[in-house]
Amino acid sequence: MNFYEKEFLLSLFSFNNKLSDNEKIKKMYIISNNKNKYYKKYTIRKRNGKKRNILSPYYELKKIQQNILNNLLYEKSSSRYATAYIKRVKLVENAVMHTGYKYILKLDISNFFENISYVDIYNIYKEYGFSDKICGLLAHLTTYNDYLPQGAPTSPYLSNLVLRDFDYKVGNWCKQRNINYTRYSDDMTFSMNEYNKDIIRFIRENLYKYNLELNNEKIHLINNSKKQKITGIVVNEKLQVDIKYRKKIRQEMYYIKKYGLEEHLKVINEEKEYYLNSLYGRIIFVLSIDKKNKEFIEYRNLIFNIKKTQN
């Protein structure tokens, strides 16, 4: 371990000054070798009713991961086609470039985070010039059982870096054929006025090189005679949040106001912190499209104050 690598590792443990430098580095190795003890595991329900496993890191590991993200990963930019998890890039920007086209093709990567492996992440850290030993430590600190854990602050941006070259290859292929392309995490969107039947085959072949596959149940080609929706935003002629999306939030807010948050959580069987963050994010999403919506401004303020009392 050279001087640069040691200083970098120490920067990851900046939140605890009670330990000596050697103790901090030793603690990181202990955490990396005992990850089962440093994650809180719970499940959430997806919109389709299926469950998603969330691994939320406990304080020490979470702080280390946040420092890896801020002190290292953000040094490299992801592709311009990736619109999720990017600073100052809003969800609406994933939809706006697809507005007003005859065809929208939506594709989904199957089990996205679970199929990005330890080796994929190790290779990302090699790009920063670290020794094999340090790359191994960083990869262990940001993976769980050989895959990216959903809930770790590093996982989203690492996924963007893993697919950076894929995005550029797909983006260049689409540009030559007058097709717009964006990727929001595992959701890929293509818009065009003439449908190109080669897209799906091309995407399958290139995902395969990353040990990833398309979810065959989520291949949707939508023409402009129907509602064209991207990440909750209708893009047929102008941007607007889908009415079902807004109704669902109204319903949840009604139950919270009438029965209280705790009773509502018991009924839906959700973890409090994750649910509040999710609900708040969905409200902010609506306001990002309709900034003057008084109803949702009220919802935002109410949930913000609830979140404040939880901290």
Side-chain angles (χ1 to χ4, degrees), residues 107-111 204 207 213-219:
L107 303 178
D108 179 88
I109 303 173
S110 183
N111 299 317
R204 283 192 197 279
L207 281 178
E213 296 180 351
L214 284 181
N215 184 338
N216 291 325
E217 296 178 0
K218 293 186 176 181
I219 297 176

Side-chain angles (χ1 to χ4, degrees), residues 51-86:
K51 292 184 177 180
R52 171 177 291 161
N53 295 320
I54 301 295
L55 289 159
S56 180
Y58 287 119
Y59 178 77
E60 286 184 313
L61 179 55
K62 185 174 184 179
K63 293 297 290 186
I64 290 170
Q65 291 172 341
Q66 286 174 333
N67 284 333
I68 291 174
L69 180 65
N70 294 322
N71 300 352
L72 181 69
L73 298 181
Y74 281 150
E75 288 181 7
K76 283 188 181 294
S77 60
S78 57
S79 80
R80 64 177 177 270
Y81 303 100
T83 55
Y85 322 125
I86 311 297

Side-chain angles (χ1 to χ4, degrees), residues 134-147:
I134 301 304
C135 288
L137 173 61
L138 295 174
H140 277 297
L141 287 169
T142 49
T143 59
Y144 179 90
N145 288 351
D146 194 39
Y147 63 86

Side-chain angles (χ1 to χ4, degrees), residues 13 22 32 52 78 165 224 234-235 246 299:
F13 224 98
N22 288 336
S32 72
R52 171 177 291 161
S78 57
D165 291 343
N224 58 5
V234 179
V235 298
R246 285 175 281 151
Y299 294 162

Side-chain angles (χ1 to χ4, degrees), residues 254-268:
Y254 170 79
Y255 290 135
I256 290 172
K257 288 179 178 180
K258 184 171 182 178
Y259 301 108
L261 176 64
E262 298 298 334
E263 288 301 314
H264 177 59
L265 290 171
K266 286 179 185 178
V267 172
I268 64 174

Side-chain angles (χ1 to χ4, degrees), residues 235-256:
V235 298
N236 289 66
E237 295 179 359
K238 64 177 183 178
L239 298 184
Q240 54 184 336
V241 179
D242 184 51
I243 189 170
K244 291 181 180 178
Y245 191 95
R246 285 175 281 151
K247 281 184 175 179
K248 177 69 166 56
I249 295 174
R250 288 190 183 102
Q251 183 183 53
E252 292 178 60
M253 292 301 302
Y254 170 79
Y255 290 135
I256 290 172

Side-chain angles (χ1 to χ4, degrees), residues 17-205:
N17 292 320
K18 294 180 180 179
L19 301 178
S20 68
D21 288 352
N22 288 336
E23 287 173 330
K24 290 177 180 179
I25 294 173
K26 182 179 179 180
K27 185 64 180 289
M28 277 188 275
Y29 277 100
I30 291 173
I31 292 173
S32 72
N33 291 322
N34 297 274
K35 286 177 286 188
N36 284 338
K37 298 179 180 179
Y38 288 89
Y39 282 96
K40 177 183 179 181
K41 305 173 188 178
Y42 57 92
T43 60
I44 61 170
R45 285 181 299 174
K46 297 193 286 186
R47 292 180 188 175
N48 60 12
K50 295 181 179 180
K51 292 184 177 180
R52 171 177 291 161
N53 295 320
I54 301 295
L55 289 159
S56 180
Y58 287 119
Y59 178 77
E60 286 184 313
L61 179 55
K62 185 174 184 179
K63 293 297 290 186
I64 290 170
Q65 291 172 341
Q66 286 174 333
N67 284 333
I68 291 174
L69 180 65
N70 294 322
N71 300 352
L72 181 69
L73 298 181
Y74 281 150
E75 288 181 7
K76 283 188 181 294
S77 60
S78 57
S79 80
R80 64 177 177 270
Y81 303 100
T83 55
Y85 322 125
I86 311 297
K87 287 183 175 179
R88 294 179 294 278
V89 175
K90 298 178 180 179
L91 186 63
V92 65
E93 295 179 39
N94 183 59
V96 67
M97 70 179 299
H98 299 293
T99 305
Y101 285 86
K102 186 174 182 180
Y103 294 104
I104 298 287
L105 175 66
K106 296 166 65 176
L107 303 178
D108 179 88
I109 303 173
S110 183
N111 299 317
F112 183 46
F113 282 89
E114 292 86 345
N115 285 316
I116 295 177
S117 70
Y118 169 90
V119 174
D120 295 324
I121 302 308
Y122 178 94
N123 289 333
I124 290 296
Y125 292 121
K126 286 296 287 183
E127 295 180 11
Y128 289 87
F130 289 115
S131 65
D132 291 346
K133 184 177 181 180
I134 301 304
C135 288
L137 173 61
L138 295 174
H140 277 297
L141 287 169
T142 49
T143 59
Y144 179 90
N145 288 351
D146 194 39
Y147 63 86
L148 279 183
Q150 289 200 52
T154 41
S155 292
Y157 201 75
L158 278 169
S159 72
N160 276 348
L161 294 180
V162 169
L163 285 190
R164 181 179 50 203
D165 291 343
F166 168 86
D167 283 337
Y168 279 118
K169 184 170 185 178
V170 173
N172 290 334
W173 185 90
C174 288
K175 186 176 181 181
Q176 294 169 10
R177 292 160 177 81
N178 296 317
I179 300 169
N180 298 310
Y181 163 65
T182 59
R183 180 179 58 80
Y184 192 89
S185 186
D186 54 355
D187 294 322
M188 293 175 285
T189 303
F190 305 83
S191 57
M192 65 214 91
N193 286 319
E194 296 291 333
Y195 178 59
N196 188 313
K197 63 182 180 180
D198 294 327
I199 295 179
I200 295 176
R201 175 189 56 79
F202 177 78
I203 296 300
R204 283 192 197 279
E205 290 175 354

